[in-house]
Amino acid sequence: MSAGFDTLLYKELLRFWKVAFQTVLAPVITALLYLLIFSHVLSSHVQVYPGVSYTQFLVPGLVMMSVLQNAFANSSSSLIQSKITGNIVFVLLPPLSYVEFFLAYLAAAIVRGVVVGLGVLLVTLWFAPLRVEHPLWVAVFALLSAGVLGGLGIIAGIWAEKFDQLAAFQNFLIMPLTFLSGVFYSIHSLPDFWHRVSQWNPVFYMIDGFRYGFFGAADVAPEKSLLVAGGCFMAISGLTLALLKRGYKLRR
Amino acid sequence: MSAALEVRGLVKRYPALTALQGVDLDVAPGEFFGLLGPNGAGKTTLISILAGLTRASAGRAAVMGFDVQGQYREARRRLGVVPQELVYDPFFTVRETLRIQSGYFGLKRNDDWLDEVMHHLDLLPQAGKNMRALSGGMKRRVLVAQALVHKPPVIILDEPTAGVDVSLRQTLWRFIQGLNRQGHTIVLTTHYLEEAEALCGRIAMLKNGRIVALDSTRNLLDRAHERCATLSLRGDVAGAGIAGLAPQGEGAWRFRFERYEELEALLARLRGARVAVEDLQLARADLEDVFTRIIASA
Ligand SMILES: Nc1ncnc2c1ncn2[C@@H]1O[C@H](COP(=O)(O)OP(=O)(O)OP(=O)(O)O)[C@@H](O)[C@H]1O
Ligand SMILES: [Mg+2]
């Protein structure tokens, strides 16, 4: 790894940290609003696991949703802004390899996702005290899932040529994947059709595995979730690296 | 010693047109080289390929002997490019921008050099300002500074003086000429031909993706065969009946010629006709005339 990689990572971190009000605080508040509204409306009706209140059940889902959305937002918005303003040349002119380019954007996306996730966790803990049965599983799922969405964000940021194309990617792919994934409910409570659809959603496994780390209980075996999340991470990383290596839409 | 820039059979095809149709070019280390051509000639495309921003459809290019594709790390470390478009990152101050750019090249403690560059470009008073808050000309200076953070032996400036005031032009050229004297190779594109004439030792003219002229600035200027003499004459010029003298009014006449013998013959005939020459001014074609002629006939 060359010294240029550190600087690109540092630049990407500084970029979101300088506007932490929008990039960290705002999503934490959004997640908190979800928690207040859903737990107020649903807490008396739903109990998923024995000994776990609905509010407690909801917290890991919201944390993971925030991790995913912010990891995606970080790499995709940084790249599209650089492309549209043209300052992407500043990272294309130096002797950075495509692997370094990938790792820097990916790592920054993971950091942003995890920082927001931690923020959401800290704030919501105040409303719903949680125990953490398997901290390692929590960490692994958080990092892997942030990595998957960070990679998707790189792909979207490279592919999109205008902001509305990026918005379409977000609205038609990322939002449905994260919302139809058991953030707010256990998929066992869904009608059969939607239950089966959810089982094809990789984000469901990321959230389910993440929840397992907290409660020691989940809808599917955590090993299976790990396999899905890990597989997705490899596939997305492989695809992103292949695109970057070809210079797809960046070095034409 | 390998060429600063070596370009062989470079072709760039876009779906709708071919921007470069087989360009060959060598620039020697230490040259001050001009790349001229009308809008759309392919200058920026050529520079983008050298910088690795665009990939060639055919042919190859090397910087200081390093292939821009196969040995891109070595090639890019030796090249500084000032892009034509006025781009900047609005998240950062001038100093942050330069430190980050320097870091991309692996140079982390580079503030002495960055200060020197900022000093030469009169940027020090702006160092702490956000890029967004700078005027266009100041942003242009930062772009120049960014290209120099790693002291590249080869520096390419793509229209660095577009929309820039006289004082910056002078500052910029003094600085760039200084770098050239220290051995840096400079490649310049500009639409201000007097700038190219004054600065560049050699010039390539590009049109429709082809090099249509490549020579020393001196030889190019000499190619403009036609010279022009303006004479102030006293006496009966019209009565002498000398061909080629065109009246300009108030005793002034213009004579166009290619070889100096023609001028000598004219003077001899004037003497013979007892016409006195009070003043004689010689003008030679400037680069603009040459450029216009070459581009029009290519
Ligand atoms: N990405 C692209 N896709 C399609 N055509 C392009 C692209 N980039 C440049 N061109 C075309 O290639 C040709 C050469 O463009 P280029 O920018 O190299 O010209 P130039 O000599 O730099 O002109 P100028 O003096 O206006 O800067 C132009 O016809 C331009 O429209
Ligand atoms: Mg151009």
Side-chain angles (χ1 to χ4, degrees):
Chain A
M1 205 60 51
S2 77
F5 162 81
D6 315 350
T7 307
L8 184 53
L9 174 57
Y10 166 77
K11 187 272 262 180
E12 280 299 294
L13 294 175
L14 198 60
R15 197 192 73 90
F16 86 77
W17 196 247
K18 279 200 169 195
V19 285
F21 196 79
Q22 297 168 40
T23 54
V24 179
L25 197 62
V28 169
I29 290 172
T30 308
L32 185 62
L33 289 175
Y34 277 124
L35 183 84
L36 295 177
I37 293 163
F38 279 86
S39 69
H40 177 74
V41 176
L42 295 175
S43 61
S44 50
H45 305 284
V46 187
Q47 193 186 31
V48 186
Y49 306 126
V52 176
S53 76
Y54 176 70
T55 311
Q56 286 173 319
F57 171 84
L58 191 55
V59 167
L62 286 174
V63 170
M64 189 51 118
M65 187 178 84
S66 309
V67 170
L68 299 173
Q69 290 182 345
N70 284 280
F72 178 84
N74 204 66
S75 46
S76 62
S77 64
S78 173
L79 279 166
I80 192 143
Q81 278 175 19
S82 289
K83 279 186 3 180
I84 286 178
T85 58
N87 64 41
I88 190 90
V89 297
F90 300 142
V91 297
L92 295 178
L93 289 172
L96 290 158
S97 72
Y98 71 96
V99 178
E100 292 169 319
F101 187 95
F102 168 72
L103 290 177
Y105 279 92
L106 183 73
I110 293 176
V111 171
R112 159 105 171 260
V114 169
V115 166
V116 174
L118 280 173
V120 173
L121 190 63
L122 283 177
V123 174
T124 50
L125 274 183
W126 199 62
F127 296 88
L130 273 189
R131 55 173 204 271
V132 183
E133 297 279 341
H134 309 293
L136 195 62
W137 285 88
V138 168
V140 167
F141 274 99
L143 293 176
L144 267 184
S145 315
V148 173
L149 273 283
L152 268 179
I154 298 178
I155 295 175
I158 293 175
W159 166 79
E161 277 155 27
K162 298 179 223 145
F163 283 108
D164 50 348
Q165 287 174 325
L166 183 61
F169 200 99
Q170 207 149 13
N171 293 331
F172 294 107
L173 190 69
I174 305 302
M175 289 301 264
L177 282 179
T178 49
F179 275 101
L180 300 174
S181 61
V183 171
F184 301 106
Y185 47 79
S186 158
I187 62 162
H188 287 306
S189 59
L190 288 177
D192 197 42
F193 172 75
W194 287 107
H195 184 172
R196 264 182 287 153
V197 170
S198 299
Q199 283 179 324
W200 285 99
N201 179 358
V203 177
F204 157 71
Y205 296 91
M206 299 174 193
I207 292 183
D208 201 58
F210 190 62
R211 235 176 223 139
Y212 171 82
F214 284 90
F215 306 124
D219 287 357
V220 300
E223 292 79 11
K224 184 178 178 187
S225 298
L226 184 63
L227 215 65
V228 173
C232 281
F233 179 69
M234 306 284 261
I236 296 290
S237 299
L239 178 59
T240 316
L241 282 166
L243 292 177
L244 288 172
K245 184 174 185 197
R246 267 178 49 201
Y248 175 74
K249 292 212 179 184
L250 286 180
R251 299 183 194 273
R252 289 192 277 191
Chain B
M1 194 165 173
S2 40
L5 295 178
E6 185 186 342
V7 172
R8 286 289 172 277
L10 213 57
V11 175
K12 179 64 187 179
R13 288 185 209 97
Y14 287 114
L17 88 166
T18 304
L20 295 178
Q21 330 207 27
V23 171
D24 294 287
L25 185 65
D26 281 290
V27 177
E31 274 199 79
F32 205 127
F33 190 87
L35 190 57
L36 307 183
N39 291 133
K43 304 179 295 292
T44 300
T45 306
L46 176 58
I47 293 170
S48 300
I49 292 173
L50 286 165
L53 297 172
T54 302
R55 290 183 182 172
S57 313
R60 63 188 173 80
V63 178
M64 300 299 284
F66 295 102
D67 187 82
V68 298
Q69 285 289 321
Q71 296 161 297
Y72 69 92
R73 277 189 196 271
E74 290 83 353
R76 287 187 208 160
R77 225 170 260 135
R78 286 160 180 80
L79 182 65
V81 175
V82 182
Q84 178 174 5
E85 306 287 337
L86 195 52
V87 294
Y88 61 96
D89 193 329
F91 280 92
F92 303 112
T93 66
V94 173
R95 188 178 287 282
E96 281 171 340
T97 298
L98 296 181
R99 279 194 182 145
I100 287 170
Q101 200 64 26
S102 189
Y104 291 154
F105 287 88
L107 306 165
K108 297 246 168 90
R109 279 174 199 75
N110 199 15
D111 269 25
D112 289 346
W113 172 244
L114 299 185
D115 279 329
E116 195 181 326
V117 172
M118 281 195 277
H119 166 74
H120 283 294
L121 292 166
D122 283 338
L123 270 172
L124 279 173
Q126 324 287 331
K129 282 197 194 151
N130 187 286
M131 288 299 300
R132 231 186 320 231
L134 299 188
S135 72
M138 287 295 166
K139 288 189 183 112
R140 178 75 65 186
R141 294 177 202 216
V142 179
L143 265 189
V144 174
Q146 271 176 282
L148 301 176
V149 292
H150 55 301
K151 296 192 193 168
V154 184
I155 302 164
I156 304 185
L157 304 108
D158 197 351
E159 292 188 39
T161 46
V164 150
D165 70 19
V166 183
S167 111
L168 170 57
R169 270 191 217 191
Q170 287 170 350
T171 326
L172 182 65
W173 293 135
R174 214 175 306 125
F175 184 36
I176 298 293
Q177 282 182 303
L179 290 170
N180 182 238
R181 271 193 295 276
Q182 291 165 30
H184 294 262
T185 309
I186 312 288
V187 175
L188 164 72
T189 86
T190 179
H191 291 292
Y192 299 106
L193 296 173
E194 68 279 18
E195 229 168 57
E197 186 175 336
L199 293 163
C200 300
R202 227 154 52 95
I203 285 174
M205 293 187 190
L206 213 57
K207 185 189 176 186
N208 293 333
R210 269 189 229 281
I211 292 191
V212 294
L214 172 62
D215 211 334
S216 69
T217 311
R218 176 120 313 280
N219 287 346
L220 281 174
L221 289 169
D222 284 344
R223 266 205 221 179
H225 300 300
E226 199 165 80
R227 288 170 173 78
C228 175
T230 307
L231 305 106
S232 293
L233 302 178
R234 189 162 38 81
D236 183 13
V237 183
I242 298 170
L245 269 182
Q248 303 292 302
E250 300 185 14
W253 301 78
R254 178 163 291 168
F255 180 70
R256 291 185 181 280
F257 62 99
E258 288 189 6
R259 285 167 298 113
Y260 281 103
E261 294 91 88
E262 296 172 49
L263 185 60
E264 280 170 21
L266 172 75
L267 294 176
R269 293 181 64 187
L270 286 171
R271 207 176 313 119
R274 301 192 176 282
V275 174
V277 177
E278 294 190 319
D279 189 23
L280 171 62
Q281 281 182 345
L282 278 179
R284 57 177 295 151
D286 62 7
L287 194 59
E288 195 156 329
D289 299 324
V290 180
F291 179 83
T292 312
R293 202 164 315 170
I294 289 176
I295 295 298
S297 66

